[in-house]
């Protein structure tokens, strides 16, 4: 009897062990992620990258990166008068020009560029002058210009006088400009081209 009881206990233990080894496989959770689904379906390469990107909240454009439109700096336009001369360098001719300026380029720089631009039948007395720097001091109303003069930019007495007058007329049309300090290669000079005395600064 004792041997039979031992055999019955062993059979019971074997039955329990067999039951543990045949537990049903747990079904996948209902909230399986898109990545798990893609892996289980064999997604590879670009498809896998797209799934990962969508899970991370990233949006991929056609060129592989998000397009960011950087707005251009706000610009303003203004119509001004510039002063040119004829081939005989006898007097100044007034012409209207539209200038555009931004935070990176002041209206005074744009006005100077317009003054340097000739047109049919008229010459610019400042066309070949090199502008080094231009700064406006709002507190004093002084416009500071530093220029360089290549040989081809130098004029005779009449041309020099007209050039200075053209610069003054162009810049003094801005009400806030009270004075113009013109220097040559960083230095104040008695005469710009050797013919006409130059004031430091020039006033209205």
């Amino acid at each position: 009897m004792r041997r039979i009881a031992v055999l019955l206990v062993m059979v019971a233990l074997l039955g329990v062990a067999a039951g543990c080894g045949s537990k049903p496989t747990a079904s996948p959770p209902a909230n399986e992620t898109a990545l798990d689904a893609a892996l289980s379906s064999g997604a590879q390469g670009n498809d896998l990258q797209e799934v990962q990107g969508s899970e991370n909240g990233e949006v991929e454009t056609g060129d592989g990166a998000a397009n960011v439109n950087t707005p251009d700096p706000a610009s303003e336009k203004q119509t001004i008068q510039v002063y040119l001369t004829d081939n005989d360098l006898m007097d100044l001719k007034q012409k209207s020009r539209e200038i555009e300026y931004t935070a990176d380029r002041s209206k005074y720089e744009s006005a100077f560029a317009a003054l340097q631009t000739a047109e049919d039948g008229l010459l610019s007395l400042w066309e070949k002058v090199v502008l080094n720097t231009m700064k406006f001091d709002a507190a004093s109303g002084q416009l500071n210009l530093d220029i360089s003069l290549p040989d081809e930019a130098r004029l005779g007495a009449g041309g020099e006088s007209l050039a200075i007058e053209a610069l003054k007329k162009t810049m003094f049309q801005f009400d806030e400009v009270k004075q113009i300090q013109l220097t040559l290669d960083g230095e104040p000079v008695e005469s710009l081209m050797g013919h006409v005395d130059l004031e430091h600064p020039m006033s209205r």
Side-chain angles (χ1 to χ4, degrees):
M1 283 295 290
R2 186 166 186 166
R3 184 176 294 178
I4 294 173
V6 170
L7 289 174
L8 289 175
V9 169
M10 292 178 65
V11 170
L13 290 174
L14 289 173
V16 171
C20 292
S22 61
K23 285 184 179 179
T25 303
S27 59
N31 60 344
E32 181 183 29
T33 65
L35 178 59
D36 294 332
L39 289 172
S40 63
S41 63
Q44 297 179 352
N46 293 334
D47 294 337
L48 181 56
Q49 292 177 1
E50 290 176 3
V51 171
Q52 291 173 330
S54 64
E55 284 203 341
N56 293 332
E58 298 172 356
V59 178
E60 186 174 355
T61 60
D63 60 359
N67 293 324
V68 179
N69 294 324
T70 304
D72 294 332
S75 63
E76 296 185 48
K77 294 182 179 181
Q78 181 176 344
T79 299
I80 66 168
Q81 306 301 315
V82 297
Y83 297 85
L84 309 174
T85 190
D86 55 23
N87 291 328
D88 297 325
L89 277 68
M90 295 298 295
D91 55 8
L92 295 176
K93 308 291 184 182
Q94 178 178 301
K95 289 292 179 181
S96 295
R97 295 275 172 82
E98 183 179 70
I99 60 172
E100 185 172 356
Y101 50 96
T102 66
D104 296 328
R105 185 183 188 185
S106 71
K107 63 181 175 182
Y108 314 111
E109 292 174 283
S110 296
F112 188 81
L115 179 62
Q116 289 184 296
T117 305
E119 63 179 70
D120 291 343
L122 294 175
L123 305 175
S124 168
L125 296 159
W126 291 87
E127 183 174 6
K128 301 184 184 302
V129 174
V130 177
L131 177 64
N132 297 325
T133 60
M134 180 179 290
K135 297 179 181 178
F136 177 65
D137 184 350
S140 64
Q142 180 166 297
L143 183 64
N144 300 291
L145 293 84
D146 184 64
I147 63 170
S148 293
L149 283 178
D151 290 341
E152 60 270 22
R154 295 183 178 275
L155 306 168
E160 181 180 357
S161 179
L162 287 175
I164 293 172
E165 190 64 22
L167 178 67
K168 291 168 65 175
K169 284 180 174 290
T170 299
M171 296 305 174
F172 282 145
Q173 71 186 290
F174 301 113
D175 293 338
E176 68 274 16
V177 178
K178 308 300 182 185
Q179 297 175 323
I180 300 172
Q181 175 68 346
L182 181 61
T183 55
L184 181 61
D185 296 322
E187 298 293 334
V189 292
E190 293 182 2
S191 177
L192 190 61
M193 302 176 189
H195 310 291
V196 179
D197 291 339
L198 189 62
E199 299 177 37
H200 295 287
M202 295 179 282
S203 301
R204 288 180 175 273

